[in-house]
Amino acid sequence: MKTIGLIGGMSWESTAEYYRLLNEQVREQLGGFHSAKCVLYSVDFAEIERLQVAGRWDEAGEVLADAARSLRNAGADMLLICTNTMHKVADQVSAAVDIPLLHLADATAAAVQAAGLHRVGLLGTAFTMEQDFYRDRLAGHDLKVLVPDADDRAVVHRVIYEELVLGIVREESRAAYGEVIGRLVASGAEGIILGCTEIELLIGPEQSPVPVFATTRLHAEAAVTAALATGR
């Protein structure tokens, strides 16, 4: 089994889900007492959030690149950035080490394509929904990406940063997200990408009339597949 390196802490709430999912999937595939071989570098999200808001992405990327180097030195065979938004600096992180980075958007696009869908709605932070680093990566897999309108984007972003990253799950926010999803579906979305790892704390299949793609789970599944690809 290869060792999975996790760049986490953004937020730790969703990183905890990564750890659980990785271990559950290894146990399901190998049985017995098997668990995932992984190493975690958990950053201080307050530092990263300040850099995000200030638009200082190169500095944020260097923080994650340092984490990547530490994980490589600790024996990681591959890397996961355990957040959608910080894939904005994925190329910077990947360039810092000589081990592969498993890109979250690639794993998500593969699942959408496997489901036979082509038009998807994207929920995430304002950075993820409004900037092109994530949408273009999905579009590179021949997907048409729809995002909510400005008011809905503001609601989705606020709930992530004021509630979900703090572990707060409110029914009124779940209902609000359901309304946003409904409007995306009315605009032609055949599926919904939960493009922020914390959104899975709030939204599941029951909140959507079309398939939802849980990026944390999909990323973890791709990592386990890669970790177990040889020596089985």
Side-chain angles (χ1 to χ4, degrees), residues 53-76:
V53 172
R56 293 157 59 185
W57 294 100
D58 285 346
E59 293 176 54
E62 188 52 36
V63 173
L64 269 59
D66 281 341
R69 287 186 280 263
S70 294
L71 290 169
R72 178 203 57 198
N73 293 340

Side-chain angles (χ1 to χ4, degrees), residues 91-118:
D91 289 345
Q92 186 177 351
V93 174
S94 181
V97 291
D98 56 359
I99 56 176
L101 170 71
L102 278 64
H103 200 290
L104 196 156
D106 292 343
T108 301
V112 173
Q113 290 176 318
L117 306 183
H118 302 283

